[in-house]
C-alpha cells in the first residue's frame, strides 16, 4: 500500500514538474515573439470588445493597431494596455470601446464564465501579474489554479503550430467584422440584442478606473468610443455613465459617440456590430476626418438630426 501511494505521489510530482516546465517554456516563447511589441510607427492602440473589433480596420487607420477582442472586459483591456506600454514608447493614444454592453453587468456572461475564463487564461496568464490575478480570483466563484494548469498544455500545442509574432498577436485581438449583411438599414427589428440594465460589474468598474489612471500616469490620450449601431436606443445611458467617470477623473478622457451616425445601407451585421462594408466605411471616415474632428462629424451626421 505504501509503495502504491509513493508511485501515485511520484506520478503527481512528475505531472506538476512537466506543467511548470511547459509554463516557463510558453512564457519564454511569448517573451521572444512578444505579441505586444509593435512596429515603430504605431502610436495608437484600439482595445475593447467586439464592437471595436468589428468597426476599426487597422489596415486603413494609419499608425494604429487594433487589439480589441470579442467578449473582452476591461480587465483584459487593462492587461493588454499595460503590456503594450511596457514595450512601446510611441503609444500616445488609446481608443477604448465604451458602449451599452460595457455598462451592463457582464461578469456572468463574460469574465466569470468558466469556459470564458479557461479560454482567456490559456493566453493571458503569462501577462497577468500576481496583483491582478488576485483581483480576478477575488471576483470569481471558480478556483483559477485548475484552469491555469489545464490551459498550459493547450497553449503549448498552439505555439508548436505557430510562433509568428503577427499570428500570436491575433490570439489577443484584431479587426474582425461581422460576416452577415442586413439587406437595408431599418429593414429588420433587432431590439432583442440590446441590453437593458445600466449597472457595470464591479470588476469592470475597477479596471476601467485602472485604465483611466494608467493613461493619466503615462500621458496617454484616452478616447472612449461608441461605434455606429443599428439600434442606438441606449446612447443616453452611455453618456450618463461617461459623465460619472469624467467627474471622478477631472476630464481626463473624451467620449466620441458615433452610435447614431448615418451609415450606408448594408453596413451592419447585426444590431450592434458593423460588417466589412460598415467597418471599411467607418475606418475610412476616421482616416479622413481625424480623431479630433470625428466627434463633431458624428454629431452633425446623426440620424437624429
Amino acid at each position: 500500500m505504501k509503495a502504491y501511494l509513493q508511485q501515485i505521489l511520484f506520478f503527481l510530482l512528475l505531472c506538476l514538474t512537466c506543467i511548470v516546465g511547459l509554463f516557463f517554456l510558453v512564457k519564454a516563447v511569448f517573451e521572444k515573439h512578444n505579441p505586444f511589441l509593435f512596429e515603430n510607427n504605431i502610436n495608437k492602440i484600439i482595445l475593447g470588445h467586439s464592437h471595436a473589433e468589428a468597426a476599426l480596420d487597422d489596415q486603413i487607420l494609419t499608425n494604429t493597431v487594433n487589439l480589441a477582442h470579442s467578449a473582452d472586459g476591461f480587465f483584459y483591456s487593462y492587461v493588454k494596455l499595460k503590456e503594450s506600454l511596457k514595450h512601446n514608447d510611441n503609444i500616445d493614444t488609446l481608443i477604448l470601446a465604451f458602449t451599452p454592453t460595457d455598462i451592463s453587468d457582464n461578469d456572468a456572461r463574460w469574465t466569470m464564465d468558466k469556459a470564458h475564463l479557461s479560454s482567456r487564461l490559456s493566453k493571458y496568464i503569462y501577462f497577468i501579474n500576481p496583483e491582478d490575478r488576485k483581483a480576478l480570483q477575488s471576483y470569481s466563484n471558480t478556483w483559477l489554479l485548475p484552469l491555469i494548469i489545464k490551459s498550459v498544455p493547450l497553449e503549448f500545442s498552439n505555439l508548436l503550430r505557430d510562433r509568428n509574432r503577427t499570428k500570436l498577436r491575433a490570439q489577443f485581438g484584431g479587426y474582425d467584422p461581422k460576416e452577415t449583411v442586413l439587406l437595408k438599414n431599418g429593414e429588420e427589428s433587432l431590439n432583442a440584442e440590446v441590453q437593458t440594465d445600466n449597472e457595470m460589474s464591479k470588476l469592470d468598474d475597477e479596471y476601467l478606473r485602472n485604465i483611466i489612471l494608467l493613461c493619466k500616469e503615462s500621458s496617454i490620450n484616452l478616447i472612449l468610443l461608441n461605434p455606429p449601431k443599428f439600434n442606438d436606443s441606449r446612447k443616453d445611458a452611455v453618456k450618463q455613465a461617461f459623465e460619472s467617470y469624467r467627474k471622478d477623473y477631472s476630464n481626463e478622457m473624451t467620449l466620441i459617440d458615433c452610435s447614431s451616425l448615418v451609415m450606408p445601407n448594408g453596413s451592419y451585421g447585426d444590431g450592434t456590430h458593423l460588417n466589412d462594408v460598415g467597418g471599411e466605411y467607418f475606418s475610412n471616415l476616421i482616416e479622413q476626418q481625424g480623431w479630433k474632428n470625428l466627434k463633431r462629424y458624428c454629431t452633425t451626421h446623426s440620424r437624429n438630426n
Side-chain angles (χ1 to χ4, degrees), residues 154-168:
L154 175 63
E155 191 60 29
F156 178 72
S157 65
N158 290 337
L159 292 180
L160 284 178
R161 291 194 299 269
D162 204 333
R163 294 186 293 277
N164 176 276
R165 175 176 285 130
T166 302
K167 292 186 177 180
L168 285 179

Side-chain angles (χ1 to χ4, degrees), residues 26-293:
V26 173
K27 187 176 178 64
V29 172
F30 272 129
E31 289 176 352
K32 182 177 181 180
H33 306 278
N34 196 307
F36 300 105
L37 180 61
F38 308 139
E39 293 75 11
N40 291 334
N41 65 307
I42 298 296
N43 70 320
K44 300 179 187 69
I45 180 171
I46 298 165
L47 296 174
H49 46 70
S50 56
H51 294 188
E53 177 187 52
L56 301 168
D57 186 349
D58 53 3
Q59 295 299 305
I60 295 174
L61 298 167
T62 56
N63 305 326
T64 302
V65 62
N66 188 340
L67 281 180
H69 194 285
S70 296
D72 259 5
F74 289 127
F75 176 86
Y76 297 106
S77 291
Y78 174 75
V79 173
K80 287 189 279 194
L81 175 62
K82 191 159 61 171
E83 282 298 312
S84 299
L85 294 180
K86 185 189 301 182
H87 299 287
N88 303 274
D89 296 331
N90 295 335
I91 302 293
D92 58 27
T93 303
L94 167 63
I95 298 97
L96 181 66
F98 193 69
T99 73
T101 299
D102 295 297
I103 58 173
S104 302
D105 189 343
N106 294 308
D107 273 359
R109 289 193 306 124
W110 288 2
T111 314
M112 296 310 157
D113 175 75
K114 189 173 182 179
H116 188 278
L117 274 170
S118 181
S119 170
R120 287 300 194 269
L121 287 174
S122 67
K123 301 181 286 285
Y124 283 90
I125 191 60
Y126 306 97
F127 303 99
I128 300 175
N129 65 28
E131 181 181 351
D132 295 323
R133 191 161 59 243
K134 183 179 179 181
L136 184 62
Q137 180 65 81
S138 69
Y139 287 108
S140 175
N141 295 322
T142 303
W143 192 28
L144 299 184
L145 184 58
L147 296 180
I148 295 171
I149 292 174
K150 182 181 177 182
S151 73
V152 172
L154 175 63
E155 191 60 29
F156 178 72
S157 65
N158 290 337
L159 292 180
L160 284 178
R161 291 194 299 269
D162 204 333
R163 294 186 293 277
N164 176 276
R165 175 176 285 130
T166 302
K167 292 186 177 180
L168 285 179
R169 185 182 299 166
Q171 294 186 37
F172 296 89
Y175 175 60
D176 188 15
K178 285 279 185 178
E179 295 182 359
T180 53
V181 180
L182 298 182
L183 296 179
K184 286 185 179 180
N185 298 345
E187 189 166 289
E188 297 184 21
S189 175
L190 300 171
N191 292 331
E193 298 199 18
V194 180
Q195 293 86 7
T196 56
D197 58 306
N198 290 337
E199 184 177 357
M200 187 183 294
S201 73
K202 292 181 180 179
L203 181 67
D204 275 339
D205 175 69
E206 177 179 339
Y207 275 85
L208 175 56
R209 294 177 185 277
N210 286 348
I211 289 171
I212 295 169
L213 290 173
L214 181 56
C215 286
K216 182 177 181 179
E217 293 167 1
S218 306
S219 300
I220 302 297
N221 178 31
L222 174 56
I223 298 171
L224 301 183
L225 176 69
N226 191 7
K229 296 192 172 41
F230 181 90
N231 188 319
D232 64 348
S233 60
R234 295 187 66 221
K235 61 182 299 179
D236 290 339
V238 171
K239 290 180 180 179
Q240 290 171 8
F242 168 76
E243 289 300 335
S244 69
Y245 284 99
R246 185 168 67 168
K247 182 179 178 182
D248 289 346
Y249 294 98
S250 303
N251 301 322
E252 294 294 337
M253 51 192 168
T254 301
L255 174 66
I256 300 181
D257 181 12
C258 297
S259 60
S260 299
L261 178 67
V262 175
M263 296 287 289
N265 284 332
S267 292
Y268 296 98
D270 59 29
T272 56
H273 300 90
L274 297 178
N275 57 26
D276 56 347
V277 174
E280 181 179 353
Y281 176 86
F282 187 53
S283 299
N284 276 310
L285 176 67
I286 295 170
E287 190 66 11
Q288 293 163 8
Q289 296 293 323
W291 287 103
K292 290 184 178 179
N293 299 321

